[in-house]
C-alpha cells in the first residue's frame, strides 16, 4: 500500500503529493505565536496525518466535524497495481470509494479484505485499523510505547506486534483464551455460591456434601411423617374446646381443695376437748375460797352449765357446716367427672390427627429441603464439571508453556532483533539494545514478554528512538503485510538530539533507495534545520528536495486547510 495524494474540494487546502519512493517531508514553521506543535491548532503537519486516517476509516474527528463538516477530503492510494480513491466529508457522514457511496462499516470490511494486511480469520482483534496505526502513529498516546498504541491493551499490543514480526501467535491467542476461560469458571463458581441456599451453607462453614446427606435423611423423615398425617380441619376449634374444659377441671380441683381444707379444720375442731374441764374448773374455785367470799363461789354450778352450753352449740354448728361442705364437695366431684368425660371425648377426636396449618408447615419445610438439596446437587455436579474443565485447561496451558519455551529457544525474531540493534547502535552508540522475546509463565493473558530495549529508554529521546527503530523493522523486515509506507510525525523527533536525528534520516535516505517504499515524516523548521551540521552536502540536498509541503503559521492561507482550524474563540 502506498499513498499518492491527499487533497480536498476546497481551493484553500494545500494538496500533498507523496513521492512514489523514498523520502517525503512535510515541514512546519512553528514560529507563529498561535502555533502549538503536534496539535490541531498547529500549521497542519500532524493534521495531514490525521486526514489520511480520516480517509482510511478512522472515527470522525470532533474538531474536524465542527469546523469543516461539508469539506470533502480525498486520498489517492495504491494497493499493488491498483489505484483507489476514497473521499470523505469532514463530519465523516459522507464516504465514497472510487466514486461509489459506501458505509463506514462496509469500507472497513473492504480494507480488512482487500487491504495490505494478510489477516487471519481465526484470530480475533486483528484488523486493518489496529495494524495500520503502527505505520502511521497519529495520536500522542500512539507515540509513548513501541508495542502499544492508543487505547490498546497489553495483550493487543503484543499480539499485533508479533503478528507484524512474523512470530508465532497461536499460543498467544490460546493462552488468552485459557485465561479467560479459567476466569469465567472462577466467576461461575462465585456466582453459584451467591445462591441463597448455598450462601447460607458456605456462611456457616458447612460442607455441601455433608449438608446433602443430612437433607436426605430429613426429607425421608418428613415424607414418612406426611404420609401418616391425618388432618382435622376443625383441629384448632376442638383443641380450643379441650383447653377450655381443662381450665374448668383445674378450677374445680382448686375449689375442691379449698373445701377439703375446711372439712379438715372442722374435723380437728370436733375432736378437741373443752378448753377447761369440770375438775380443773372446780379446783380453781376451791383455790379461790381463801380470797373471795362464799356467796360469790356459790355460782360455780351456773358457770359450769353456761360453759357446757357453749360447747354443745359449737359442736352442733360444726356438724352442720361439715354436712354442707360435704354436699358441696360431692357436687364438685360430680361436675368434675362430667367435665372430664367431655374433655376426654374432645381429646379422642384429636387422637392421631393434626392441624391443617401444621401439615402445611411440614409440607413447606419438605419442599424447602428438596429445593436446597436440588441446588446443592446442581452445584456439586456443575462444580465437578467446572473443576474437571479447569484442570484440563491448566494441563493444556502447562503443555503450551513447554511449547512456548522451546519456541523462544529457537530465537524466532533474530532477524528483527539484528536489524533493531543495528539501528539503535546507529542512533545511540554504546547503548545496549535489542528485541527480547521471553516465555511468560504468569497467571495472565500474555504468552510472551517482548522487550524493546535501548538502554536509557527512560529518556524521552531514546524512547522515541525505540519507536522509530521498531516501526522501521515492521516496514522493512516485517511479515503479514504489503505496507509500502511509514509515516512518522514530528512529535517522535522533537526529543531526539540533532545528531542522532540526522543519523536517522541519513540512514533512511540511503537504505530506502530502490526499495519501492515510502518514508513520510513531518518536522518543525528548527528540527529540520538543526540536522544540517551533521549531514553531508549531498544529504542536505536530498533532504531539501524531499520537502513536498511547507506549512507556516504566519497567515491562515499558509496553513494546511488555509483557515484557522481549531483556533479557540
Amino acid at each position: 500500500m502506498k499513498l499518492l495524494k491527499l487533497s480536498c474540494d476546497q481551493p484553500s487546502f494545500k494538496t500533498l503529493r507523496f513521492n512514489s519512493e523514498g523520502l517525503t517531508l512535510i515541514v512546519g514553521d512553528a514560529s507563529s505565536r498561535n502555533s502549538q506543535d503536534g496539535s490541531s491548532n498547529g500549521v497542519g503537519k500532524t493534521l495531514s496525518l490525521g486526514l489520511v486516517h480520516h480517509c482510511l476509516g478512522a472515527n470522525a474527528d470532533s474538531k474536524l466535524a465542527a469546523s469543516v463538516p461539508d469539506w470533502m477530503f480525498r486520498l489517492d492510494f495504491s494497493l499493488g497495481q491498483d489505484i483507489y480513491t476514497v473521499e470523505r466529508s469532514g463530519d465523516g457522514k459522507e464516504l465514497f470509494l472510487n466514486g461509489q457511496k459506501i458505509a463506514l462499516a462496509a469500507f472497513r470490511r473492504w480494507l480488512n479484505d482487500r487491504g495490505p494486511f494478510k489477516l487471519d480469520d481465526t484470530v480475533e482483534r486483528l484488523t486493518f485499523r489496529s495494524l495500520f496505526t503502527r505505520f502511521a502513529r497519529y495520536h500522542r498516546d500512539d507515540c509513548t510505547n513501541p508495542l502499544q498504541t492508543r487505547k490498546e491493551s497489553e495483550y493487543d499490543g503484543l499480539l499485533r506486534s508479533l503478528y507484524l514480526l512474523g512470530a508465532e501467535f497461536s499460543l498467544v491467542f490460546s493462552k488468552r483464551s485459557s485465561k479467560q476461560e479459567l476466569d469465567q469458571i472462577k466467576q461461575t463458581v462465585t456466582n453459584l455460591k451467591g445462591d441463597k441456599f448455598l450462601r447460607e451453607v458456605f456462611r456457616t462453614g458447612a460442607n455441601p456434601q455433608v449438608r446433602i446427606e443430612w437433607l436426605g435423611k430429613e426429607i425421608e423423615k418428613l415424607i414418612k411423617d406426611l404420609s401418616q398425617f391425618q388432618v382435622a380441619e376443625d383441629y384448632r376449634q376442638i383443641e380450643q374446646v379441650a383447653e377450655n374444659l381443662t381450665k374448668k377441671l383445674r378450677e374445680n380441683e382448686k375449689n375442691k381443695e379449698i373445701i377439703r381444707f375446711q372439712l379438715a379444720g372442722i374435723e380437728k375442731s370436733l375432736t378437741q376437748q373443752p378448753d377447761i374441764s369440770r375438775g380443773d374448773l372446780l379446783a380453781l374455785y376451791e383455790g379461790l375460797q381463801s380470797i373471795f367470799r362464799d356467796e360469790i363461789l356459790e355460782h360455780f354450778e351456773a358457770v359450769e352449765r353456761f360453759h357446757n352450753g357453749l360447747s354443745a352449740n359449737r359442736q352442733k354448728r360444726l356438724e352442720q357446716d361439715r354436712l354442707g361442705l360435704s354436699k358441696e364437695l360431692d357436687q364438685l366431684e360430680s361436675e368434675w367427672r362430667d367435665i372430664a368425660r367431655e374433655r376426654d371425648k374432645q381429646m379422642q377426636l384429636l387422637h392421631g390427627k393434626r392441624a391443617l396449618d401444621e401439615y402445611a408447615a411440614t409440607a413447606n419445610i419438605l419442599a424447602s429441603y428438596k429445593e436446597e438439596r436440588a441446588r446443592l446437587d446442581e452445584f456439586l455436579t456443575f462444580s465437578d464439571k467446572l473443576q474437571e474443565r479447569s484442570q484440563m485447561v491448566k494441563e493444556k496451558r502447562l503443555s503450551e508453556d513447554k511449547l512456548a519455551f522451546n519456541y523462544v529457544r529457537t530465537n524466532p525474531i533474530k532477524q528483527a532483533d539484528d536489524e533493531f540493534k543495528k539501528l539503535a547502535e546507529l542512533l545511540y552508540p554504546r547503548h545496549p539494545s535489542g528485541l527480547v522475546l521471553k516465555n511468560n509463565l504468569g497467571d495472565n493473558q500474555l504468552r510472551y514478554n517482548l522487550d524493546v530495549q535501548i538502554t536509557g529508554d527512560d529518556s524521552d529521546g531514546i524512547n522515541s528512538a525505540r519507536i522509530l527503530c521498531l516501526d522501521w523493522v515492521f516496514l522493512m523486515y516485517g511479515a503479514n503485510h504489503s505496507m509500502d509506507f511509514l509515516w512518522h510525525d514530528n512529535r517522535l523527533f522533537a526529543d531526539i538530539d540533532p545528531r542522532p536525528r540526522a543519523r536517522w534520516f541519513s540512514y533512511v535516505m540511503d537504505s530506502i533507495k530502490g526499495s519501492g517504499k515510502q518514508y513520510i515524516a513531518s518536522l518543525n523548521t528548527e528540527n529540520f534545520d538543526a540536522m544540517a551540521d551533521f549531514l553531508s552536502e549531498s544529504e542536505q540536498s536530498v533532504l531539501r528536495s524531499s520537502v513536498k509541503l511547507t506549512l507556516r503559521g504566519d497567515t491562515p492561507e499558509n496553513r494546511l486547510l488555509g483557515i484557522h482550524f481549531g483556533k479557540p474563540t
Side-chain angles (χ1 to χ4, degrees):
M1 182 179 191
K2 287 186 178 183
L3 303 183
L4 305 179
K5 183 176 70 172
L6 177 65
S7 58
C8 179
D9 64 349
Q10 299 298 314
S12 64
F13 185 82
K14 305 298 182 292
T15 298
L16 175 59
R17 292 178 173 81
F18 301 93
N19 290 323
S20 60
E21 182 181 282
L23 185 61
T24 296
L25 287 181
I26 303 165
V27 177
D29 183 355
S31 61
S32 171
R33 182 180 58 186
N34 295 325
S35 178
Q36 296 183 18
D37 176 35
S39 73
S40 59
N41 291 329
V43 294
K45 57 191 182 304
T46 301
L47 178 59
S48 60
L49 173 57
L51 289 174
V52 170
H53 276 275
H54 182 72
C55 290
L56 290 178
N59 291 330
D61 182 270
S62 59
K63 293 181 179 178
L64 202 63
S67 301
V68 289
D70 300 327
W71 288 27
M72 291 299 294
F73 297 96
R74 170 173 171 162
L75 177 67
D76 297 309
F77 63 95
S78 65
L79 287 170
Q81 300 300 316
D82 299 322
I83 296 177
Y84 299 92
T85 298
V86 60
E87 297 170 280
R88 192 179 185 191
S89 60
D91 60 10
K93 296 179 180 179
E94 298 292 322
L95 181 62
F96 298 87
L97 176 62
N98 288 346
Q100 299 295 317
K101 190 170 185 178
I102 186 172
L104 179 60
F107 180 52
R108 288 174 175 172
R109 288 194 297 271
W110 184 88
L111 289 170
N112 288 341
D113 296 337
R114 301 283 300 276
F117 300 106
K118 301 172 184 177
L119 301 181
D120 190 326
D121 294 336
T122 64
V123 182
E124 298 176 350
R125 313 182 76 81
L126 292 179
T127 63
F128 170 85
R129 291 296 317 159
S130 66
L131 296 172
F132 178 75
T133 305
R134 284 164 172 75
F135 296 85
R137 298 176 185 261
Y138 171 53
H139 294 283
R140 186 172 300 278
D141 290 342
D142 296 335
C143 302
T144 58
N145 187 320
L147 296 177
Q148 291 173 248
T149 59
R150 180 172 175 255
K151 295 183 178 180
E152 267 189 341
S153 68
E154 193 173 2
Y155 166 81
D156 287 334
L158 175 67
L159 174 67
R160 292 161 185 169
S161 296
L162 289 176
Y163 187 76
L164 292 176
L165 290 174
E168 186 281 327
F169 58 86
S170 63
L171 293 179
V172 177
F173 178 72
S174 181
K175 183 175 181 182
R176 179 174 184 267
S177 299
S178 297
K179 174 60 175 172
Q180 288 178 331
E181 186 171 3
L182 289 174
D183 289 344
Q184 186 176 15
I185 290 172
K186 183 178 179 180
Q187 185 60 49
T188 300
V189 173
T190 300
N191 293 340
L192 284 174
K193 289 182 178 180
D195 181 273
K196 64 178 182 179
F197 295 106
L198 294 170
R199 185 170 58 248
E200 184 63 21
V201 170
F202 287 109
R203 186 188 68 81
T204 59
N207 184 291
Q209 186 61 50
V210 173
R211 178 71 177 177
I212 282 181
E213 293 174 0
W214 180 86
L215 287 171
K217 294 178 181 179
E218 291 299 309
I219 288 171
E220 288 180 5
K221 293 178 183 178
L222 290 173
I223 291 175
K224 183 178 180 180
D225 191 16
L226 287 176
S227 67
Q228 299 173 352
F229 216 111
Q230 297 184 43
V231 177
E233 294 185 2
D234 56 351
Y235 185 96
R236 293 303 180 198
Q237 292 85 344
I238 297 174
E239 186 180 49
Q240 185 63 45
V241 171
E243 288 180 358
N244 291 335
L245 291 171
T246 299
K247 289 180 181 178
K248 289 183 179 180
L249 288 175
R250 290 172 181 168
E251 184 69 23
N252 183 283
E253 288 288 351
K254 182 177 71 173
N255 293 332
K256 287 192 296 182
E257 285 299 320
I258 293 173
I259 292 174
R260 290 189 184 103
F261 178 79
Q262 291 173 335
L263 287 172
I266 291 173
E267 289 293 338
K268 185 176 180 180
S269 297
L270 290 173
T271 57
Q272 286 180 344
Q273 297 296 323
D275 294 337
I276 303 177
S277 66
R278 176 180 174 81
D280 292 337
L281 186 61
L282 182 59
L284 176 63
Y285 269 82
E286 290 176 350
L288 294 174
Q289 289 178 353
S290 61
I291 301 174
F292 297 99
R293 292 177 296 174
D294 294 338
E295 58 269 21
I296 294 175
L297 298 177
E298 290 178 355
H299 296 289
F300 170 76
E301 294 294 338
V303 172
E304 182 180 20
R305 288 193 299 271
F306 176 74
H307 180 76
N308 289 335
L310 287 176
S311 178
N313 289 336
R314 177 172 175 271
Q315 186 174 8
K316 180 179 179 181
R317 179 175 56 80
L318 289 173
E319 287 291 348
Q320 289 176 347
D321 290 343
R322 182 171 65 175
L323 180 62
L325 289 172
S326 296
K327 288 181 179 180
E328 188 176 350
L329 181 61
D330 290 341
Q331 179 64 29
L332 287 173
E333 288 285 356
S334 177
E335 291 177 0
W336 187 90
R337 287 190 293 271
D338 291 340
I339 294 172
R341 281 195 297 269
E342 181 61 24
R343 193 210 35 195
D344 292 344
K345 179 181 176 182
Q346 297 296 326
M347 295 299 292
Q348 188 62 34
L349 292 175
L350 296 179
H351 182 69
K353 299 181 177 64
R354 297 161 83 174
L356 181 61
D357 56 352
E358 186 178 352
Y359 179 89
T362 303
N364 287 337
I365 293 173
L366 176 61
S368 174
Y369 282 0
K370 284 183 175 180
E371 183 179 0
E372 183 180 355
R373 184 175 67 173
R375 295 288 184 87
L376 287 171
D377 278 333
E378 180 183 2
F379 168 75
L380 289 178
T381 300
F382 193 42
S383 180
D384 287 344
K385 291 181 179 178
L386 290 177
Q387 289 181 14
E388 182 180 358
R389 179 57 187 164
S390 176
Q391 187 59 37
M392 291 174 61
V393 173
K394 290 178 180 178
E395 289 175 358
K396 177 186 175 185
R397 196 163 77 176
L398 286 174
S399 176
E400 291 180 349
D401 284 344
K402 184 175 181 180
L403 291 175
F405 174 77
N406 291 332
Y407 176 72
V408 168
R409 291 180 64 185
T410 66
N411 197 7
I413 60 171
K414 184 180 185 307
Q415 182 185 12
D417 177 40
D418 290 342
E419 296 299 331
F420 181 87
K421 288 176 179 176
K422 184 195 308 181
L423 289 170
E425 176 67 19
L426 176 68
L427 299 182
Y428 293 97
R430 295 179 298 280
H431 283 63
S433 60
L435 301 179
V436 182
L437 185 67
K438 295 180 180 179
N439 190 13
N440 187 322
L441 300 177
D443 184 23
N444 51 51
Q445 296 186 12
L446 301 180
R447 175 71 279 167
Y448 303 106
N449 291 331
L450 179 59
D451 294 330
V452 182
Q453 185 177 6
I454 301 177
T455 302
D457 55 15
D458 52 344
S459 159
D460 291 339
I462 294 180
N463 183 59
S464 295
R466 290 196 307 155
I467 296 174
L468 296 179
C469 295
L470 183 63
D471 289 352
W472 185 264
V473 170
F474 284 151
L475 175 69
M476 304 298 290
Y477 308 101
N480 297 311
H481 72 83
S482 59
M483 284 291 294
D484 288 325
F485 83 89
L486 176 63
W487 189 318
H488 282 151
D489 185 64
N490 180 72
R491 62 166 51 101
L492 286 169
F493 300 109
D495 295 314
I496 299 177
D497 292 335
R499 185 186 298 275
R501 190 190 314 133
R503 290 172 180 162
W504 172 257
F505 278 98
S506 176
Y507 172 82
V508 169
M509 287 186 291
D510 182 63
S511 60
I512 206 169
K513 292 177 183 178
S515 67
K517 298 183 182 297
Q518 300 171 303
Y519 184 76
I520 306 163
S522 62
L523 285 169
N524 280 344
T525 302
E526 57 267 32
N527 290 335
F528 179 83
D529 293 341
M531 295 188 292
D533 293 340
F534 307 102
L535 295 172
S536 66
E537 288 294 334
S538 61
E539 287 174 330
Q540 292 183 48
S541 176
V542 173
L543 203 63
R544 285 191 294 269
S545 65
S546 300
V547 177
K548 301 297 294 184
L549 185 63
T550 300
L551 303 170
R552 297 184 176 86
D554 50 358
T555 63
E557 293 78 10
N558 288 329
R559 297 170 182 260
L560 180 66
L561 300 184
I563 61 172
H564 276 295
F565 171 70
K567 181 181 179 181
T569 57

